[in-house]
Amino acid sequence: MESKKHYKLYKSGKQWKTLAITAAVAVAGVVSLNNVTANADVTSSAVATVAVAQTSSASSVVLESSTSAVATSSTSEASAAASSAVVSSSASSSVTSATSSVVDAASASTVASSADTAATSATSSSEVSVTSASSEVSTVSDSSSVATSTTSLTSQSTESATSDSADSSATSTQDSSVTSAEVVTREVAAVATSSTKNGWVSENGTYTYYTNGKVASGENYSYLPSISGTGYNWYLVKDGVALSGVQKWYGSYYYFDPTTYLKLDHQDYVKSQWGDWYMVGSDGIVQSGVQKWYGKYYYFDPVTYLKLDHQDYVKSQWGLWYMVGSDGIVQSGVQKWYGKYYYFDPVTYLKLDHQDYVKSQWGDWYMVGSDGIVQSGLVQWYGHYYYFNPVTYLKATNTTFSYNGISLTADNTGIITGTTTSSQFLLKIYQATLDGWKEYGVLPSVTAAQAILESGWGQSALATEANNLFGIKGSYNGQYVIMSTAEYGSGGYYYVNAEFRKYPSFYESVVDHGYFLYSNSRYSNLLHQTSYATVTSLLQSDGYATSPTYASSLNNVITTYGLQSWDTAAGV
């Protein structure tokens, strides 16, 4: 018979074909074992594998059916060895050239149904049914749209298996359970599931969130399942991709951890995705302005959000001004800025706004004015004068020296006194003449010269009784003295009693003199003039004094005692 010829051909090359089938299975890489128990005396093991291989383009699936049979026999009443059915679709040129058809769920269902039918038929039969095996192979081939060459090859294998079974005259009933269809179903389902992405998928070095294989477009701050796999969290997502680093969101910059992708929930100084460092608050927002960090205050530019890298006097987020060093740290103590030294309070970090004698960050003491500037020269402090070296800015002690035409001496505490009567008088009016310029614009040198001439160096009766250096009539804060004074009329000089202003000290007398000129419109032309000769001339022409030599007398006093230096000290 024709089938026996095929059987003999198989017998004669049995070892060769067994090796060929084994090699084909190894190349396919997919093996599924199903143990089938025969009758009590014969045990056979059938191995059936159906593999679904996805092409490189992920557009088709090639279905291969490959079986290898391994028969084991044991000593029993049966004299014939157990048979094994072998259905093989090797890696022949026909199979590899099969069309690339994707096995969908319906095809897998058809294969499963066919496999169940074949298994039932095999159980009720005492020998392997050639027809059933052929039917199964045909069904699988049709369902998967494999090339017809696969059917031909399978038929040949089936015929050989049938001849082999008939020739061996095996009497045992083979309980062959074909599970290859179940494998196909699972593999196809796995391919279908893996092709539809859902949830977070790690790709391109970040995480993308999918819903049924699609991503949401646009940028959103969304409440999603946690990337870590526990619970839910908020993520900033753009076109499905979780963002990290510094990101702008609704007008503010936020920082998202590059590992967890969560918004930072504590203050930290962090490195951005482009390498720059930023200060982030506990709300996750990138900070600007003055920020405290590990016991120090730093300033971050409100435009670039970067730490300041140069010295500057900056306005903070709450409107106050601070001195910042080149390291970005807000400074305190004595700091140099545009040729002057300023003092910044070590507690508030603000520039001092009142006069004070302060200790610097390196331990030395300095006098600071109400403008926050460290003072030099002759400075009045709590009723006394002190002298501060213009180079070191330190207080002078135990020394004698001349300053702006005044002969002075400093004791061991630094208190300054005049070495002569004239120096003592000049010392008493010095600061007042400077303040008169600042407040009213009357030149210090002219004010001092007037005080000298009109009070006789502070020795006149009006000066000693009422501290009135300029003979201004009226009352000061309700205080006055009545004194006899010479008046000039048509008949010459005559004396009258008049009220004159009484002051607490020379200081108030000098400052009030400035106010007197400032408040009388006829003297407005001499205010804020910077040439003492101009001012003295205007005083005379405006009628301040009737003496025709009044201007020249003032000029002589100024040059004799070097009072021009007082103008320089006032910043004129």
Side-chain angles (χ1 to χ4, degrees), residues 370-532:
S370 57
D371 54 2
I373 299 176
V374 177
Q375 305 292 295
S376 65
L378 203 60
V379 178
Q380 193 173 33
W381 173 245
Y382 278 93
H384 296 286
Y385 280 98
Y386 297 84
Y387 179 78
F388 295 90
N389 188 294
V391 176
T392 65
Y393 293 86
L394 298 176
K395 183 179 65 176
T397 58
N398 299 317
T399 185
T400 299
F401 58 97
S402 178
Y403 177 76
N404 289 339
I406 312 172
S407 180
L408 303 172
T409 183
D411 65 13
N412 61 346
T413 64
I415 294 177
I416 301 295
T417 56
T419 58
T420 64
T421 302
S422 60
S423 294
Q424 292 172 5
F425 174 74
L426 292 175
L427 189 60
K428 289 179 181 180
I429 67 172
Y430 176 76
Q431 188 62 47
T433 63
L434 302 184
D435 294 342
W437 166 258
K438 291 179 183 177
E439 293 185 42
Y440 306 115
V442 180
L443 208 60
S445 60
V446 175
T447 300
Q450 284 186 289
I452 293 170
L453 280 181
E454 297 188 28
S455 70
W457 291 91
Q459 300 301 310
S460 68
L462 191 56
T464 56
E465 291 185 29
N467 292 315
N468 193 327
L469 301 176
F470 303 92
I472 299 175
K473 293 179 180 179
S475 65
Y476 180 83
N477 293 334
Q479 301 296 310
Y480 62 91
V481 294
I482 299 175
M483 297 190 72
S484 178
T485 182
E487 298 290 342
Y488 184 82
S490 58
Y493 286 98
Y494 62 95
Y495 288 88
V496 297
N497 290 328
E499 292 182 357
F500 290 89
R501 297 181 184 183
K502 183 178 182 180
Y503 300 99
S505 69
F506 286 173
Y507 179 89
E508 287 80 10
S509 178
V510 172
V511 173
D512 190 50
H513 167 262
Y515 176 73
F516 174 79
L517 297 176
Y518 173 81
S519 60
N520 284 272
S521 59
R522 69 174 175 170
Y523 301 116
S524 60
N525 58 350
L526 60 82
L527 302 177
H528 301 287
Q529 292 286 343
T530 57
S531 168
Y532 70 87

Side-chain angles (χ1 to χ4, degrees), residues 153-420:
L153 181 60
T154 305
S155 298
Q156 294 176 8
S157 299
T158 303
E159 289 176 3
S160 297
T162 304
S163 299
D164 194 7
S165 177
D167 189 67
S168 63
S169 304
T171 59
S172 61
T173 301
Q174 184 177 5
D175 184 10
S176 175
S177 175
V178 181
T179 62
S180 59
E182 296 176 5
V183 175
V184 171
T185 302
R186 288 194 300 270
E187 295 289 344
V188 170
V191 170
T193 301
S194 63
S195 64
T196 302
K197 297 177 181 179
N198 275 295
W200 291 111
V201 177
S202 177
E203 54 188 15
N204 300 323
T206 184
Y207 284 89
T208 305
Y209 190 81
Y210 288 91
T211 303
N212 295 326
K214 296 181 179 180
V215 297
S217 61
E219 190 174 16
N220 294 285
Y221 192 46
S222 305
Y223 193 60
L224 299 170
S226 176
I227 291 177
S228 65
T230 304
Y232 282 73
N233 271 308
W234 289 90
Y235 298 91
L236 184 61
V237 180
K238 184 175 183 180
D239 297 333
V241 178
L243 300 178
S244 65
V246 175
Q247 302 292 338
K248 191 173 184 179
W249 180 246
Y250 276 91
S252 295
Y253 289 93
Y254 292 80
Y255 180 78
F256 296 86
D257 189 279
T259 301
T260 66
Y261 295 87
L262 299 178
K263 179 166 67 69
L264 201 65
D265 61 358
H266 61 277
Q267 187 191 28
D268 205 353
Y269 190 46
V270 299
K271 189 176 183 180
S272 69
Q273 59 269 44
W274 47 79
D276 291 322
W277 288 82
Y278 297 90
M279 178 59 68
V280 181
S282 58
D283 54 2
I285 298 177
V286 177
Q287 305 294 297
S288 65
V290 176
Q291 302 293 331
K292 191 174 184 179
W293 178 244
Y294 278 89
K296 293 183 179 180
Y297 289 93
Y298 294 81
Y299 180 79
F300 296 87
D301 190 278
V303 176
T304 65
Y305 293 86
L306 298 176
K307 180 166 63 69
L308 203 65
D309 60 358
H310 60 277
Q311 187 189 30
D312 204 353
Y313 190 47
V314 299
K315 190 176 182 180
S316 70
Q317 59 270 44
W318 44 79
L320 300 174
W321 290 81
Y322 297 89
M323 178 59 68
V324 180
S326 57
D327 54 2
I329 299 176
V330 177
Q331 304 295 298
S332 65
V334 176
Q335 302 294 331
K336 191 174 184 179
W337 178 245
Y338 278 89
K340 294 183 178 180
Y341 289 93
Y342 293 80
Y343 181 79
F344 297 88
D345 189 278
V347 176
T348 66
Y349 292 85
L350 299 176
K351 181 167 65 70
L352 203 64
D353 60 357
H354 60 276
Q355 187 187 28
D356 203 355
Y357 189 49
V358 298
K359 189 177 183 179
S360 70
Q361 59 269 43
W362 47 77
D364 292 323
W365 288 82
Y366 298 91
M367 179 60 68
V368 180
S370 57
D371 54 2
I373 299 176
V374 177
Q375 305 292 295
S376 65
L378 203 60
V379 178
Q380 193 173 33
W381 173 245
Y382 278 93
H384 296 286
Y385 280 98
Y386 297 84
Y387 179 78
F388 295 90
N389 188 294
V391 176
T392 65
Y393 293 86
L394 298 176
K395 183 179 65 176
T397 58
N398 299 317
T399 185
T400 299
F401 58 97
S402 178
Y403 177 76
N404 289 339
I406 312 172
S407 180
L408 303 172
T409 183
D411 65 13
N412 61 346
T413 64
I415 294 177
I416 301 295
T417 56
T419 58
T420 64

